[in-house]
Amino acid sequence: MPDYLDDLRLAHVLADAADAATTDRFKALDLKVETKPDMTPVTEADKAAEELIRGQLQRARPRDAILGEEYGVEGTGPRRWVIDPIDGTKNYVRGVPVWATLIALMEAGEGGFQPVVGVVSAPALGRRWWAAKGHGAFTGRSLTKASPLQVSRVSKLSDASFAYSSLSGWEEQGRLDGFLDLTREVWRTRAYGDFWPYMMVAEGSVDMCAEPELSLWDMAATAIIVTEAGGSFTGLDGRPGPHSGNAAASNGLLHDELLGYLNQRY
């Protein structure tokens, strides 16, 4: 099995470059913000960070394909880098420090492309998380200054902490009743949103999280980090990996109950 460590090192280099670009424009008074056709915001920093990552990948991995949120897919083949230059753009625009660059490498295999490397870098929080298939998941300042990630061992909903992003998406999908029933059963709920709850699941400070509507670039990096930390990452349909258009992540012990509530009466 490939060890993917060279790819992981490259992903850290890419994240370093993106961090420099995004932090330079964070809270800038002249930051340019546009609205995309799906009515979500995009900033000059989103575009610059993705262009920077694409340029470095084209030099370092010219045979690999690239899929990014802002500029689509480029290239073909069994290896594909998946980029979200700023996950949490709405936070970024408003000066909230909860945003990150998400970088993943996916490789063709049984059941389609699966993530094998993931880096989530949140420079305004001073945090970074990463994983490579078969090597575990870690957090720290760098590859040499890292601590391993491990999901929690909480096994009862009444003891569990559940994180989510907002209520509107669950209501739009007709899943709100099950969602609210779940919130009544757990010990604690918090609406952290975006990449952060998945990273907290991976490090064991949150036990489960879910979102009703996501894109591949929102999930590819977080999925490998959660699973390499010992957790479960599926769609709401229970399909493993980041391919269902939505996500449920947990420490594994609570996963069936999590999916049961979010799919009840649906």
Side-chain angles (χ1 to χ4, degrees):
M1 186 179 78
D3 67 16
Y4 302 110
L5 293 182
D6 283 343
D7 295 310
L8 179 61
R9 282 188 281 269
L10 173 59
H12 274 270
V13 171
L14 299 173
D16 289 342
D19 285 356
T22 53
T23 54
D24 182 60
R25 299 300 292 156
F26 184 49
K27 295 187 178 180
L29 296 178
D30 61 343
L31 182 71
K32 293 184 177 66
V33 184
E34 303 170 22
T35 300
K36 293 192 285 189
D38 64 0
M39 301 308 292
T40 60
V42 59
T43 72
E44 62 184 87
D46 291 84
K47 294 179 177 179
E50 184 168 324
E51 288 169 353
L52 195 63
I53 293 169
R54 283 176 177 270
Q56 292 199 20
L57 280 172
Q58 285 160 357
R59 291 188 292 273
R61 297 288 190 274
R63 296 183 180 179
D64 294 353
I66 304 170
L67 169 65
E69 178 176 11
E70 306 308 335
Y71 295 107
V73 67
E74 181 179 357
T76 59
R79 287 164 47 99
R80 176 181 293 176
W81 293 86
V82 180
I83 306 156
D84 188 343
I86 299 179
D87 183 53
T89 299
K90 292 176 183 177
N91 283 346
Y92 186 90
V93 168
R94 291 297 302 271
V96 178
V98 183
W99 49 271
T101 295
L102 279 51
I103 301 168
L105 172 63
M106 301 186 75
E107 196 165 70
E110 292 185 18
F113 282 87
Q114 298 298 331
V116 293
V117 167
V119 171
V120 172
S121 190
L125 294 176
R127 298 294 310 275
R128 185 177 290 186
W129 303 261
W130 63 88
K133 185 177 180 180
H135 289 277
F138 297 87
T139 185
R141 295 286 185 175
S142 67
L143 282 166
T144 56
K145 296 179 180 178
S147 302
L149 296 174
Q150 181 64 49
V151 296
S152 74
R153 302 302 298 167
V154 172
S155 59
K156 295 194 301 183
L157 284 181
S158 58
D159 296 329
S161 179
F162 170 56
Y164 61 98
S165 56
S166 67
L167 295 179
S168 58
W170 301 104
E171 187 171 30
E172 289 164 7
Q173 291 194 6
R175 300 179 188 265
L176 185 60
D177 287 343
F179 174 90
L180 292 175
D181 285 346
L182 174 62
T183 67
R184 296 181 185 110
E185 294 297 320
V186 298
W187 168 65
R188 191 170 192 252
T189 62
R190 283 293 182 271
Y192 296 109
D194 301 307
F195 67 93
W196 205 11
Y198 300 96
M199 298 303 93
M200 288 191 278
V201 168
E203 59 192 21
S205 53
V206 164
D207 308 303
M208 53 188 183
C209 65
E211 288 183 272
E213 187 174 4
L214 292 169
S215 298
L216 179 60
W217 47 77
D218 298 312
M219 299 184 280
T222 59
I224 182 72
I225 294 170
V226 168
T227 55
E228 283 293 319
S232 296
F233 190 107
T234 72
L236 297 176
D237 57 6
R239 182 160 52 126
H243 295 290
S244 299
N246 45 47
S250 77
N251 62 7
L253 301 174
L254 299 165
H255 208 76
D256 288 344
E257 288 181 281
L258 172 63
L259 293 179
Y261 274 95
L262 296 179
N263 286 304
Q264 76 178 27
R265 291 180 257 166
Y266 176 63

